[in-house]
Amino acid sequence: MTPRHLNIIWLYHDLMNLYGDRGNILTLQKRADARHINTVVKGISIGETIPADADIIFFGGGQDQEQALVAQDLAGKKDAIVQFMQRGGGLLTVCGGYQLLGEYYQPLKGKRIPGLGLLPVYTEAGSERMIGDLVVKPSPALSKAGITSDLIGFENHSGQTFLKKGISLGKVIKGHGNNGEDGNEGVWHGTAIGTYMHGPLLPKNPELADYLIACGLRSHGDSTDLAPLPELKKYIDAARGMALERARNRKTSGLGLRS
Ligand code: GLN
């Protein structure tokens, strides 16, 4: 039997890497290694090409300045990302990356930054930064992807993102989410997930990590089930407990935000 493998792409690893997002890569590696799935992680940045055998793409967060720099290069990667999404690869994009895979990101000051329009969202910066621990109840449709537990992360953004259509990742229980107004957080589109949850997200949300791993495997014809990892449960529960406690004590400000 050929060894199971995953090719993980960290898009703009050197420019879009805020608030512990590297932990998402480490979590994917750890949860794959524990199942004897070989992983290769490749950082792809400006002027480089996304390989045709990518199984998972992670695109993290960045400030407005880096986003403007990346956006010009990202346009040249659109075809590769479209083909990746058509193969059903697991795509996770957080905050600044999430904004750039939508239609556009309009910063509070300066020119509109065009996105790839691959996620059904658009973003316009507000005057207030939305910062703190975020708790989200997953959209019911995500249960078929094995995602049923509340999602927990850390948000830090001024961009307000609105869904044009489709399914949000979930409903905000505590915090701001996409825009602090409509109660939506993130988007789930095909096998792509956009979210404002940094932190990193995946160590505290193993169902999401395993969903991305399963998509990545299936994208090259491996539909073997993923064994449970009970030995990690105590660490995950401890991390979730701490973040939930912080979220419980979080004071959210105006914008009609959820408290
Ligand atoms: N610059 C964007 C904003 O402020 C994204 C920030 C981020 O990636 N954390 O909304």
Side-chain angles (χ1 to χ4, degrees):
M1 180 178 169
T2 52
R4 304 177 78 184
H5 70 278
L6 274 175
N7 295 321
I8 301 171
I9 301 301
W10 187 1
L11 204 47
Y12 303 110
H13 61 292
D14 53 343
L15 291 164
M16 303 285 280
N17 54 11
L18 296 175
Y19 313 121
D21 283 350
R22 178 172 176 268
N24 293 319
I25 297 290
L26 299 177
T27 302
L28 291 168
Q29 283 181 300
K30 170 78 184 173
R31 296 187 70 85
D33 292 350
R35 288 136 167 171
H36 310 296
I37 299 168
N38 299 329
T39 57
V40 173
V41 177
K42 196 169 180 189
I44 295 289
S45 192
I46 290 183
E48 298 174 315
T49 304
I50 295 173
D53 63 355
D55 296 312
I56 292 176
I57 293 178
F58 171 60
F59 184 10
Q63 299 303 350
D64 293 11
Q65 186 179 339
E66 283 83 9
Q67 286 178 277
L69 177 63
V70 158
Q72 296 161 24
D73 180 79
L74 184 62
K77 294 176 166 62
K78 181 171 182 177
D79 289 350
I81 296 173
V82 167
Q83 286 157 28
F84 171 82
M85 292 174 76
Q86 286 171 345
R87 287 202 308 275
L91 195 160
L92 173 64
T93 183
V94 178
C95 206
Y98 171 30
Q99 296 169 346
L100 292 181
L101 289 190
E103 195 175 322
Y104 64 84
Y105 169 50
Q106 175 59 61
L108 199 56
K109 293 194 182 87
K111 288 199 306 186
R112 175 175 291 192
I113 303 174
L116 294 188
L118 299 178
L119 295 178
V121 300
Y122 63 91
T123 303
E124 296 178 351
S127 55
E128 188 163 340
R129 284 203 79 78
M130 294 167 268
I131 302 174
D133 291 282
L134 175 57
V135 184
V136 174
K137 182 160 200 52
S139 294
L142 277 156
S143 59
K144 64 188 172 200
I147 300 167
T148 55
S149 306
D150 286 354
L151 301 168
I152 306 168
F154 174 80
E155 62 182 330
N156 182 339
H157 57 109
S158 63
Q160 291 185 280
T161 295
F162 296 90
L163 282 179
K164 292 166 61 183
K165 59 178 175 145
I167 299 173
S168 71
L169 185 57
K171 288 296 182 189
V172 173
I173 296 172
K174 182 74 178 187
H176 302 134
N178 276 347
N179 50 56
E181 293 172 5
D182 62 17
N184 284 315
E185 159 50 19
V187 69
W188 181 40
H189 184 69
T191 53
I193 288 173
T195 179
Y196 274 110
M197 289 189 274
H198 291 282
L201 171 67
L202 296 183
K204 296 191 284 289
N205 301 282
E207 292 174 346
L208 217 45
D210 284 353
Y211 170 67
L212 294 166
I213 291 171
C215 289
L217 292 169
R218 280 196 295 265
S219 76
H220 62 250
D222 176 346
S223 53
T224 316
D225 287 342
L226 294 177
L229 300 173
E231 68 278 16
L232 298 182
K233 185 174 183 322
K234 62 183 173 191
Y235 304 110
I236 294 166
D237 289 349
R240 287 175 66 87
M242 286 169 64
L244 277 170
E245 187 56 30
R246 285 199 308 264
R248 228 172 261 121
N249 300 328
R250 178 180 177 184
K251 302 275 176 293
T252 44
S253 57
L255 280 178
L257 302 177
R258 268 125 175 80
S259 59

